[in-house]
Amino acid sequence: MTTPLTVHLLNISTCPLSNATTHPFLQQAGRGQIPKPLLSQWLSQDRLYAQSYIRFIGLLLSKIRLPPHNPDSSKPRTSTAEHRAMEVLIDALVNIRTELQFFEDTADEYGLDLTALPVAMEDEERERGECVRGEDRPEETYFGPNRITQAYIDMFMSAGSAATSLLEGLVVLWATEACYLQAWRFAASCGASGKTGAGAGPEQDADGGALRTRFIPNWTSPEFEAFVRRIGDVVDELAGQIKGAEEREHVMGRCVQWWRQVVWLEERFWPVVK
């Protein structure tokens, strides 16, 4: 039996995925150690990412071609992989609308700024030991996507383009959500480890409890887990329909590249913490 595509992708290399989903920012988030200014900066970028997600889902929906149904046929109408892809993408749009409202409601509740200026990418690169070209001088700062958020947005537009198959686009969608779920599960496990301080409740956290009370439970919920699993099921079903060894090898290679790009970006999406 052929290994499902999602299982294959998860098993390609565990180290890069671990780097992306066990980042120190997540550890501190689970322990209630992320201060409001840093959380605001990260949330403002995550919200921009979520807004670009809407257009990406629309591009994927435009790729779906549902098979015609003969009304005179005695055969019952059957659901196809394309139907299931359409349903999960429509649910993704509904979910992101709910998510954006959740961002605003939680930000109001905890006094977070969803238009906080982005963290200086040059500072982050120095922390990682990466080269920064040009003179060491401050740049004009404005609200908008930082370079990694913009790279995510560009990837979404590329994965939704006419040159990319529905399967590849769904691999990108599944990869982003699967990484997100695994990352926040790790954060939740850090909070559950008892290292947040004896008797310290979420209201004593550096962010007032926003992460441990609202965000982490939302991003590790059974509903979110089920949604990620549904996307994965559609990915595996579409991948299983590919005919011919040569075509399958070609498509799988492209899917692996999309997966690696998502994991690379995911690791760098988290802010550097001390």
Side-chain angles (χ1 to χ4, degrees):
M1 182 178 178
T2 304
T3 302
L5 176 56
T6 55
V7 175
H8 173 64
L9 295 175
L10 288 168
N11 290 336
I12 286 174
S13 177
T14 57
C15 183
L17 180 60
S18 176
N19 291 343
T21 57
T22 60
H23 191 277
F25 175 84
L26 294 163
Q27 184 180 65
Q28 292 190 21
R31 295 176 178 177
Q33 297 170 342
I34 301 296
K36 284 187 178 183
L38 181 58
L39 178 58
S40 292
Q41 290 169 351
W42 177 79
L43 281 173
S44 70
Q45 294 301 304
D46 200 44
R47 184 166 171 261
L48 291 173
Y49 159 93
Q51 290 171 341
S52 71
Y53 184 104
I54 297 171
R55 186 179 177 194
F56 174 47
I57 298 301
L59 291 171
L60 295 187
L61 280 167
S62 71
K63 295 178 182 292
I64 294 177
R65 299 294 181 266
L66 297 177
H69 175 70
N70 184 358
D72 298 326
S73 174
S74 59
K75 295 181 180 179
R77 188 187 297 266
T78 58
S79 178
T80 64
E82 289 74 17
H83 280 101
R84 284 183 282 281
M86 178 185 67
E87 289 167 359
V88 81
L89 289 171
I90 290 173
D91 286 347
L93 282 177
V94 173
N95 290 345
I96 203 64
R97 180 183 63 180
T98 303
E99 184 83 350
L100 288 170
Q101 186 62 53
F102 169 69
F103 269 55
E104 294 179 9
D105 292 344
T106 307
D108 289 344
E109 181 179 359
Y110 288 91
L112 302 170
D113 181 7
L114 293 179
T115 59
L117 296 176
V119 178
M121 295 302 295
E122 287 78 7
D123 292 343
E124 294 186 13
E125 288 165 352
R126 289 193 184 95
E127 290 287 344
R128 294 190 176 101
E130 298 177 7
C131 177
V132 179
R133 295 182 180 179
E135 299 179 14
D136 186 13
R137 63 188 181 205
E139 296 183 357
E140 183 178 355
T141 306
Y142 64 95
F143 177 70
N146 63 29
R147 285 205 288 270
I148 294 300
T149 304
Q150 186 61 55
Y152 242 129
I153 294 170
D154 293 343
M155 181 188 66
F156 280 160
M157 296 305 99
S158 179
S161 71
T164 308
S165 68
L166 174 63
L167 172 60
E168 292 172 61
L170 284 168
V171 164
V172 170
L173 175 62
W174 170 79
T176 60
E177 300 290 35
C179 287
Y180 207 70
L181 175 62
Q182 188 164 324
W184 289 110
R185 279 177 171 171
F186 169 74
S189 73
C190 294
S193 66
K195 297 179 181 179
T196 54
E203 67 278 358
Q204 301 300 317
D205 292 352
D207 65 356
L211 278 163
R212 290 208 290 156
T213 303
R214 295 286 188 269
F215 289 116
I216 293 177
N218 182 66
W219 295 327
T220 58
S221 68
E223 293 80 10
F224 183 42
E225 180 181 0
F227 175 64
V228 176
R229 187 165 53 248
R230 284 179 60 209
I231 304 172
D233 289 344
V234 173
V235 166
D236 290 337
E237 185 176 4
L238 288 173
Q241 293 179 352
I242 300 172
K243 305 297 183 184
E246 185 175 346
E247 176 65 13
R248 180 174 179 81
E249 183 178 357
H250 172 71
V251 174
M252 294 304 101
R254 288 180 61 85
C255 290
V256 166
Q257 291 305 312
W258 286 116
W259 165 256
R260 286 175 172 161
Q261 186 173 354
V262 169
V263 174
W264 189 91
L265 286 171
E266 194 69 19
E267 178 183 354
R268 288 156 180 80
F269 194 70
W270 310 113
V272 173
V273 293
K274 304 297 184 182

